[in-house]
């Protein structure tokens, strides 16, 4: 009985370890995907001319931002 | 008192003093980084003197923090303002801003909130004012934290789109009705220096000043209340915080459960359970206060026996 308990704990620890390792792997994949997607989005945004819109807005006083509507 | 007992007391006192020193050192280091970041993002000092904004090309770059581009000193664009500016045009959505936020969020997560945000710095300084502090009940606090996601979706993303016509011209709802950073960093300095702008101030300016005052007062009693409940940029970074490159973690093997980390957390988190979650701003206060060094931070792998979630 005692051996079964110890074996179960060992198995559970291994699964927890494997679960944590899988979580690490998932996090790494997510990070890589987000970095690649982020770079791609920036390129798409530049291509769409969004930088021009942002610059045009930013170099004039944003009346909405300062509460003048 | 026996010699052993005296030696133990001396060792404990010395450890405690060293510990306080480490906390103060960390606090000073963090304050220095925050001040440098604020100066860096708002480096156009002449703007404050002349009452004019910077019009250079660096303004097409989005800074990774909430820093209004109407601030006279601002050298870059606010990502939230920029997102709304593009959303109010025929483009409807800014991939450029999204991409910028994804890169910063994935690498640094909410470390940006804890160390670099100028409005976060203002809240931290206000919270130092010695007053009784408000403790928000956990149940209410948990619900209120979802408010920033509603602000992000409704005011930042949908508002400009809904208020735009077929040719664009949408209003930046968050900037226009809520953003306290715009009022504090942009509105007040510009109106102080420009008679024309002062004459144009009406109900909207009074409303925004009211919102600003509420947030600033709130920060005195509730640490980082804007970051917790209203900041749409915090909402974005919270989504990336769990898997960002920069992480904080609790070594469960070392942790003795003393609970010293929880009271110092500016986001009022259960540090042992929530440090890897979306709400931690990676300020490092818990790590500085931990007596056994059980809290780690940096860019490293979490070992299998640490921080079981």
């Amino acid at each position: 009985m005692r051996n079964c308990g110890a074996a179960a704990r060992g198995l559970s620890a291994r699964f927890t370890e494997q679960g944590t390792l899988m979580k690490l792997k998932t996090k790494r994949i997510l990070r890589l995907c987000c970095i690649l997607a982020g770079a791609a989005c920036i390129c798409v945004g530049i291509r769409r001319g969004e930088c021009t819109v942002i610059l045009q807005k930013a170099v004039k006083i944003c009346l909405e931002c300062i509460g003048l509507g | 008192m026996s010699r052993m007992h005296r030696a133990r007391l001396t060792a404990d006192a010395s450890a405690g003093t060293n510990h306080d020193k480490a906390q103060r050192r960390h606090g000073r280091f963090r304050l220095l980084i925050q001040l440098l970041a604020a100066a860096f993002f708002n480096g156009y000092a002449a703007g404050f003197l002349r009452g004019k904004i910077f019009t250079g090309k660096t303004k097409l770059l989005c800074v990774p923090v909430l820093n209004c581009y109407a601030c006279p000193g601002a050298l870059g664009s606010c990502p939230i303002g920029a997102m709304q500016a593009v959303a109010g045009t025929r483009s409807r959505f800014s991939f450029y801003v999204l991409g910028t936020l994804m890169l910063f969020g994935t690498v640094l997560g909410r470390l940006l909130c804890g160390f670099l945000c100028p409005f976060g710095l203002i809240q931290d300084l206000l919270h130092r004012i010695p007053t009784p502090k408000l403790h928000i009940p956990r149940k209410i606090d948990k619900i209120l934290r979802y408010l920033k996601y509603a602000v992000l979706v409704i005011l930042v993303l949908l508002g400009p789109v809904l208020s735009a016509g077929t040719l664009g011209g949408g209003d930046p709802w968050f900037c226009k009705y809520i953003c306290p950073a715009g009022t504090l960093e942009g509105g007040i300095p510009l109106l102080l220096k420009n008679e024309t702008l002062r004459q144009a101030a009406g109900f909207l300016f009074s409303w925004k000043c009211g919102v600003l005052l509420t947030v600033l007062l709130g920060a005195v009693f509730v640490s980082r209340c804007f970051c917790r409940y209203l900041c749409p940029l915090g909402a974005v970074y919270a989504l990336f915080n769990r898997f960002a490159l920069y992480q904080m973690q609790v070594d469960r093997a070392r942790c003795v459960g003393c609970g010293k980390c929880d009271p110092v957390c500016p986001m009022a988190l259960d540090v042992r359970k929530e440090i890897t979650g979306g709400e931690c701003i990676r300020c490092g206060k818990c790590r500085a206060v931990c007596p056994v060094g059980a809290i780690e931070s940096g860019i490293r792998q979490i070992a299998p026996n640490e921080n079981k979630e």
Side-chain angles (χ1 to χ4, degrees):
Chain A
M1 260 320 244
R2 219 180 289 163
N3 286 342
C4 284
R9 275 197 298 277
L11 207 61
S12 160
R14 220 177 71 199
F15 276 132
T16 311
E17 206 175 290
Q18 280 177 355
T20 317
L21 282 170
M22 288 235 357
K23 278 187 179 169
L24 280 177
K25 214 176 171 183
T26 313
K27 283 183 183 180
R28 250 185 268 160
I29 293 168
L30 263 170
R31 252 180 245 145
L32 188 61
C33 288
C34 280
I35 288 173
L36 292 172
C41 283
I42 289 175
C43 294
V44 167
I46 292 171
R47 198 83 200 175
R48 275 163 38 118
E50 290 171 18
C51 292
T52 316
V53 173
I54 292 168
L55 185 63
Q56 279 172 354
K57 178 78 182 178
V59 296
K60 293 180 209 145
I61 292 178
C62 172
L63 295 177
E64 295 94 347
C65 302
I66 63 172
L68 299 186
Chain B
M1 202 187 281
S2 72
R3 215 195 299 176
M4 257 183 73
H5 187 56
R6 246 183 281 136
R8 206 180 304 134
L9 281 175
T10 314
D12 283 349
S14 160
T17 318
N18 288 340
H19 208 64
D20 289 338
K21 276 186 189 167
Q23 273 185 66
R24 281 197 293 272
R25 214 177 320 132
H26 173 79
R28 281 197 297 266
F29 170 72
R30 190 167 150 258
L31 179 62
L32 179 64
I33 300 292
Q34 286 176 300
L35 289 168
L36 287 173
F40 178 73
F41 293 130
N42 297 289
Y44 186 58
F48 288 103
L49 299 169
R50 291 183 203 152
K52 292 189 187 303
I53 62 169
F54 181 68
T55 55
K57 285 263 168 25
T58 54
K59 276 205 149 169
L60 56 80
L61 297 172
C62 286
V63 297
V65 294
L66 198 76
N67 196 70
C68 187
Y69 45 31
C71 173
L75 295 170
S77 285
C78 174
I80 297 296
M83 177 65 87
Q84 292 171 96
V86 177
T89 64
R90 285 161 63 183
S91 300
R92 298 287 190 250
F93 183 80
S94 176
F95 286 94
Y96 173 73
V97 176
L98 174 67
T100 308
L101 295 180
M102 284 177 86
L103 286 180
F104 278 112
T106 308
V107 175
L108 297 172
R110 287 194 89 174
L111 179 72
L112 295 156
C113 303
F115 271 78
L116 299 183
C117 182
F119 201 69
L121 165 64
I122 290 164
Q123 292 175 81
D124 287 340
L125 293 174
L126 285 171
H127 198 66
R128 289 185 185 202
I129 296 172
T131 60
K133 303 300 176 191
L134 263 177
H135 171 71
I136 309 289
R138 203 114 175 98
K139 280 187 185 162
I140 299 174
D141 182 74
K142 271 198 158 179
I143 295 167
L144 282 178
R145 284 182 200 258
Y146 287 108
L147 193 56
K148 56 183 180 285
Y149 297 98
V151 168
L152 173 66
V153 171
I154 297 169
L155 296 184
V156 176
L157 297 176
L158 289 179
V161 175
L162 294 173
S163 61
T166 43
L167 296 173
D171 271 343
W173 281 11
F174 176 75
C175 296
K176 189 172 179 179
Y177 298 114
I178 305 285
C179 186
T183 317
L184 183 67
E185 296 168 14
I188 291 171
L190 284 173
L191 262 70
L192 282 173
K193 278 282 182 183
N194 289 281
E195 172 67 32
T196 327
L197 293 177
R198 272 203 300 277
Q199 285 172 0
F203 171 74
L204 185 62
F205 185 73
S206 308
W207 164 260
K208 284 208 79 183
C209 286
V211 172
L212 172 65
L213 206 62
T214 309
V215 169
L216 295 181
L217 267 175
V220 172
F221 298 103
V222 179
S223 79
R224 293 272 185 147
C225 61
F226 180 76
C227 303
R228 287 193 215 183
Y229 307 130
L230 285 176
C231 183
L233 197 52
V236 171
Y237 289 142
L239 300 173
F240 295 95
N241 217 26
R242 276 193 178 273
F243 57 88
L245 204 54
Y246 184 88
Q247 284 291 335
M248 288 191 77
Q249 60 207 30
V250 174
D251 185 345
R252 298 297 171 103
R254 271 202 206 162
C255 177
V256 296
C258 66
K260 286 190 176 176
C261 46
D262 290 347
V264 301
C265 178
M267 300 295 278
L269 301 178
D270 179 347
V271 174
R272 293 183 75 215
K273 289 184 193 160
E274 297 173 305
I275 196 168
T276 54
E279 295 299 313
C280 174
I281 59 171
R282 312 284 192 245
C283 65
K285 279 187 172 183
C286 52
R287 191 188 58 174
V289 86
C290 180
V292 295
I295 300 176
E296 294 165 349
S297 65
I299 301 168
R300 63 175 285 263
Q301 296 286 5
I302 300 169
N305 63 351
E306 288 174 351
N307 209 20
K308 296 192 184 87
E309 289 171 10

